[in-house]
Amino acid sequence: MSNSGSTSNELSKALDNHLNLVAAQQPNWPDQTALTHARETLAGLPPIVMAAEIETLKLRLASASQGKAFLLQGGDCAETFADATEERIRARVKTLLQMAVVLTYGASMPIIKMGRMAGQFAKPRTSDTETRDGLTLPAYRGDAVNGYDFNLESRTPDANRLVQAYNTSVASLNEIRTLTLGGYADLRLVQEWNQGFVKNPSNARYELMAKDIDKAIRFMAACGADFSELTTTEFYTSHEGLLFDYERPLTRIDEATGSIYDTSGHFIWIGERTRQIDGAHVDFFSRVKNPIGVKLGPDTKAANVVALAEKLDPNREPGRLTFISRMGASKIRDVLPQIIEGAKKAGITALWVTDPMHGNGITTKNGYKSRQFDDVMNEVQGFFEVHRELGTHPGGVHVELTGDDVTECLGGSEQIDEKTLESRYESLCDPRLNHTQSLELAFLVAEELAAR
Ligand code: PEP
Ligand code: MN
């Protein structure tokens, strides 16, 4: 992976058209010297992920787009430097592994495990500023840009944070690799954790499926299955590719193939707020080889999706393009079918994934940004219904979750109510499903998958 000397000119020629275009949602860095220094530092550091891994992921996603695998993508809305601890990362990986086992059983297909992890440090915001008690400061744009504390020093964008985002991503990915390659992903261990979940009387509804999974594992053992093969697993990273001052210096030429990859993560997505067809983000990501995602809100038209696919995936490369719809439970059944049909007519081969979080936001009476678990599930069910009716493949779920027992989303088997939100609301951005709610979602999605 190279980005120095003559390759640096080559990269500029291939990539830098975005500089002539409108780049939405970029911070106003006050210190240009610090910014230049940060960009140069990043450009000199090793890639975070490798081209070969990125290409393997593309194969996996291609298989999901053909209905032969299913994507589980989850993690924080906004990762923070403070929460990049061994314990918290482990809890998130554990939650995703637990969900994946349940989904594998429900789908009878491989589950592609992907974290919104090791890079999800930048956030688009509706407003550039935030006002509290008459004081107006820059909005929090994620730990890669500024601090969450509400004072001028903390909220002023600081380009050194870009380098800290890189270092934290590397450390996080190292922890993820250690866990998923070092025995933590052992199928039997993960199943044991899930037994713990269903032992809780409020989750008894899922006991039957957990027992079935247990039986299946014992059956495999009796048949002489090699469980040593099942102690490790592939695990991919993803984040919103938002900040050019981060993504651009980490974009490199792979010497073996001459192809260009954004090495900040395996899978990069373009957010609902930055997917303008003539905007800088779409242009930039049209020029890298990574598998990429595009979020689609409820106002999306089939024509938008066709135009995005023409630009981002003109060759209809299997696994290259994923559309992540986030319509809201009340809209998905009306809006998604025409989009999928339009895409089908245009020969688009994208993977369809549901994000049941971002269209279902509410603000509670006591002032918390939250989501109802039932709305989240309703949108997932709508997603499956739409695909069932159209005869297309429901390819995956994209959720905001954490492995901790936070209280940010309402409902679920623990019946979290508005008052309970006050006890452990930790997200600096959108509300996440907690550990229990995440597993519950997995069991419910597994039922949908089994019923396909
Ligand atoms: C997000 O995924 O946190 C996000 C901001 O999503 P969207 O672009 O769909 O609003
Ligand atoms: Mn979010």
Side-chain angles (χ1 to χ4, degrees):
M1 294 279 188
S2 176
N3 61 349
S4 58
S6 61
T7 51
S8 146
N9 294 334
E10 220 178 306
L11 269 172
S12 287
K13 234 192 266 159
L15 279 176
D16 286 346
N17 188 51
H18 70 278
L19 297 174
N20 307 318
L21 304 170
V22 177
Q25 296 283 344
Q26 303 304 294
N28 297 312
W29 304 108
D31 183 345
Q32 290 299 307
T33 313
L35 178 61
T36 305
H37 183 250
R39 288 182 55 122
E40 283 171 6
T41 304
L42 288 174
L45 285 161
I48 299 179
V49 299
M50 293 296 163
E53 299 166 356
I54 295 173
E55 286 299 330
T56 306
L57 171 62
K58 212 189 279 170
L59 289 178
R60 305 287 182 255
L61 294 171
S63 158
S65 70
Q66 292 151 7
K68 295 179 198 150
F70 189 81
L71 173 67
L72 170 63
Q73 185 176 18
D76 292 326
C77 177
E79 284 183 285
T80 62
F81 298 155
D83 274 355
T85 63
E86 179 185 7
E87 193 188 9
R88 296 252 165 145
I89 293 168
R90 200 196 305 130
R92 263 175 286 160
V93 170
K94 178 175 173 176
T95 303
L96 287 166
L97 292 175
Q98 284 183 266
M99 293 171 79
V101 166
V102 176
L103 293 173
T104 306
Y105 183 78
S108 302
M109 283 194 293
I111 303 299
I112 306 161
K113 302 162 198 90
M114 189 189 286
R116 279 176 69 114
M117 289 179 77
Q120 178 55 18
F121 292 108
K123 299 307 300 173
R125 300 317 298 254
T126 309
S127 169
D128 257 343
T129 57
E130 182 184 346
T131 302
R132 286 190 204 172
D133 302 327
L135 177 62
T136 298
L137 294 173
Y140 172 65
R141 287 188 171 274
D143 272 14
V145 177
N146 55 2
Y148 185 74
D149 288 349
F150 199 70
N151 60 66
L152 182 60
E153 194 195 343
S154 143
R155 285 293 173 98
T156 303
D158 173 3
N160 295 312
R161 284 175 166 272
L162 294 167
V163 180
Q164 202 178 343
Y166 170 93
N167 288 327
T168 311
S169 298
V170 170
S172 301
L173 180 54
N174 184 58
E175 168 75 3
I176 292 170
R177 291 199 203 276
T178 304
L179 292 169
T180 53
L181 299 177
Y184 201 69
D186 190 318
L187 177 63
R188 293 158 297 184
L189 182 64
V190 178
Q191 171 60 10
E192 221 174 278
W193 296 330
N194 281 352
Q195 296 287 11
F197 168 80
V198 296
K199 275 211 186 84
N200 184 332
S202 48
N203 300 320
R205 170 176 173 345
Y206 308 111
E207 207 176 337
L208 205 60
M209 192 184 292
K211 273 204 181 118
D212 284 347
I213 298 175
D214 220 41
K215 246 195 241 162
I217 293 177
R218 277 187 276 123
F219 175 74
M220 284 165 69
C223 295
D226 181 3
F227 282 96
S228 62
E229 293 266 324
L230 299 170
T231 57
T232 64
T233 189
E234 288 176 19
F235 195 106
Y236 296 97
T237 63
S238 69
H239 61 267
E240 177 170 353
L242 184 69
L243 300 179
F244 288 102
D245 296 314
Y246 185 74
E247 306 300 337
R248 175 61 181 84
L250 289 171
T251 299
R252 312 284 167 85
I253 296 178
D254 174 39
E255 277 151 11
T257 58
S259 297
I260 298 176
Y261 293 92
D262 184 345
T263 69
S264 67
H266 298 111
F267 178 96
I268 313 293
W269 77 83
I270 303 173
E272 162 72 3
R273 294 173 182 79
T274 51
R275 62 171 173 81
Q276 301 80 8
I277 192 76
D278 299 323
H281 290 84
V282 168
D283 187 274
F284 183 82
F285 288 106
S286 74
R287 294 163 195 272
V288 303
K289 288 275 283 177
N290 303 56
I292 56 171
V294 186
K295 292 279 204 98
L296 304 174
D299 299 329
T300 311
K301 304 282 177 286
N304 305 129
V305 168
V306 173
L308 283 163
E310 285 304 333
K311 200 142 181 183
L312 292 167
D313 183 27
N315 301 325
R316 311 286 195 252
E317 184 193 1
R320 156 72 174 170
L321 187 56
T322 297
F323 284 119
I324 307 167
S325 67
R326 30 85 91 220
M327 307 287 174
S330 63
K331 297 187 177 149
I332 182 164
R333 292 169 181 84
D334 295 330
V335 181
L336 189 59
Q338 36 177 327
I339 293 175
I340 296 180
E341 299 238 84
K344 219 160 116 182
K345 268 196 209 116
I348 290 165
T349 53
L351 172 66
W352 296 97
V353 168
T354 177
D355 162 358
M357 314 298 291
H358 287 90
N360 294 310
I362 54 168
T363 303
T364 61
K365 286 191 284 304
N366 50 350
Y368 288 93
K369 261 171 104 176
S370 191
R371 291 159 176 154
Q372 289 280 4
F373 184 83
D374 285 350
D375 291 342
V376 169
M377 238 359 264
N378 187 353
E379 181 155 0
V380 173
Q381 275 151 353
F383 175 75
F384 278 97
E385 278 166 38
V386 168
H387 282 284
R388 218 171 279 144
E389 265 159 39
L390 298 178
T392 44
H393 301 302
V397 289
H398 176 121
V399 280
E400 289 185 337
L401 59 80
T402 174
D404 304 313
D405 296 323
V406 300
T407 57
E408 298 172 3
C409 290
L410 296 160
S413 64
E414 299 168 316
Q415 299 180 358
I416 292 175
D417 59 16
E418 294 200 0
K419 183 80 192 133
T420 313
L421 295 185
E422 290 167 13
S423 64
R424 198 170 165 194
Y425 194 103
E426 296 181 4
S427 176
L428 301 191
C429 207
D430 293 332
R432 303 160 295 179
L433 299 175
N434 65 20
H435 179 70
T436 304
Q437 290 168 328
S438 302
L439 287 178
E440 191 170 4
L441 180 97
F443 276 100
L444 291 169
V445 173
E447 287 175 359
E448 289 290 333
L449 281 164
R452 265 168 321 147

